[in-house]
Amino acid sequence: MLLAGAVGWLVYPHARAIVIPPEESAAARGRQLAEDLGCFTCHGPLGRSGVVNHGSSYKTVPPFHEGTIMMFAKSDDELREYILYGAPRSRLENASYEQEMAQQAIRMPAYEDFVSRTQVDDLVAFLRASSEMLFPPDGPASDGEELAHELGCFSCHGAMGSGGYANPGSLKGYIPGFFGPDYAELVEGDEELRSWIERGSIDRFTQDRLASFFLERQRVKMPAYGERLEKAEIDSLMAYVKWVSKEEWRDLPLQE
Ligand code: HEC
Ligand code: HEC
């Protein structure tokens, strides 16, 4: 892959204007980190199905999605404290919380000695993206979010379109997300966004020799939804992707 990429650069230098080098999002790095740190052993694959926890009133280790996080952590700082100390500081000082934890077979470990500050930031970005508690305003964008869940957009593009799943044969090596430098490079305006969703590609790429080589070669391809969805559904998917791409959710607190 690296070699093919390097040869591509030499043979087609103009390709640099079309495709840029890897730029993963903090949430995508956080997902990989969660894998490497063993978070998914207890919280289940991608933090979506915690293992049975005998003695816990929640019955299992809590997952990261469907708003569960909010029952445990009230802010990003409390998420940081879960990772660093095994629970928010306020709860650790609470005798009844300690008693509750003592009754459980499995306890959340403290990772203080194993993660750097930036790694904690990446993990928090992943937890936020996975939480399903960052909502676009009501209207087309929120309809689009529901549809994106139903259609499985996030299985390929990562939680909330945070990107980064491996894709052998693609120039960047992974599936791009819905925001950041990759997105800006791949989607220049509404027409291209519509074209990606309806046709699974854009003219700027299909008409370029190198870009179309990688379009064909990559193992996972963007499906074409044009024939399968109503125009209003495509419009709402576009509204959602555009909302994500604006990154205003970065400043939002998690919401119930
Ligand atoms: C040994 C099992 C185990 C491992 C490994 C583990 N956790 Fe946990 N985690 C738990 C348990 C049990 C709880 C519930 C604690 C409570 O009730 O306060 C929890 C709670 C949490 C919570 C708050 C509740 C939720 O799920 O929304 C977060 C966030 C969290 N863990 C993140 C992580 C991250 C990130 C990692 C990896 C760095 C990790 N956990 C690794 C067992 C584990
Ligand atoms: C089977 C995996 C898969 C699914 C499902 C999928 N995509 Fe994609 N998508 C891709 C791949 C791979 C690319 C990158 C194409 C390329 O670079 O040539 C892509 C590209 C895109 C792009 C443009 C590039 C970027 O920065 O993301 C958008 C927008 C997009 N997809 C939106 C969606 C939406 C909306 C859905 C759900 C309706 C969806 N995708 C479902 C694999 C998928």
Side-chain angles (χ1 to χ4, degrees), residues 153-249:
C153 311
F154 305 127
S155 311
C156 283
H157 288 281
M160 253 184 85
S162 52
Y165 286 111
N167 191 9
S170 62
L171 187 54
K172 281 185 275 272
Y174 58 84
I175 298 175
F178 295 162
F179 56 90
D182 287 342
Y183 180 84
E185 184 59 32
L186 294 171
V187 186
E188 288 181 355
D190 285 6
E191 281 317 302
E192 288 196 353
L193 178 55
R194 183 178 296 282
S195 176
W196 276 115
I197 298 173
E198 286 184 353
R199 295 163 43 213
S201 63
I202 52 172
D203 289 345
R204 190 155 54 88
F205 280 17
T206 49
Q207 288 166 10
D208 179 90
R209 248 172 104 189
L210 178 65
S212 61
F213 169 74
F214 283 105
L215 270 180
E216 280 311 310
R217 188 164 177 269
Q218 60 188 351
R219 292 304 89 183
V220 181
K221 298 187 173 73
M222 172 67 193
Y225 291 97
E227 308 275 294
R228 300 166 194 283
L229 300 175
E230 304 291 333
K231 183 175 175 297
E233 292 177 311
I234 305 269
D235 289 347
S236 55
L237 285 171
M238 286 175 63
Y240 175 67
V241 172
K242 280 164 72 172
W243 176 77
V244 174
S245 76
K246 290 198 188 107
E247 298 188 54
E248 281 157 11
W249 45 264

Side-chain angles (χ1 to χ4, degrees), residues 111-125:
Y111 286 88
E112 202 177 0
D113 299 335
F114 296 89
V115 287
S116 69
R117 183 179 279 266
T118 50
Q119 287 178 321
V120 174
D121 288 345
D122 289 350
L123 285 166
V124 169

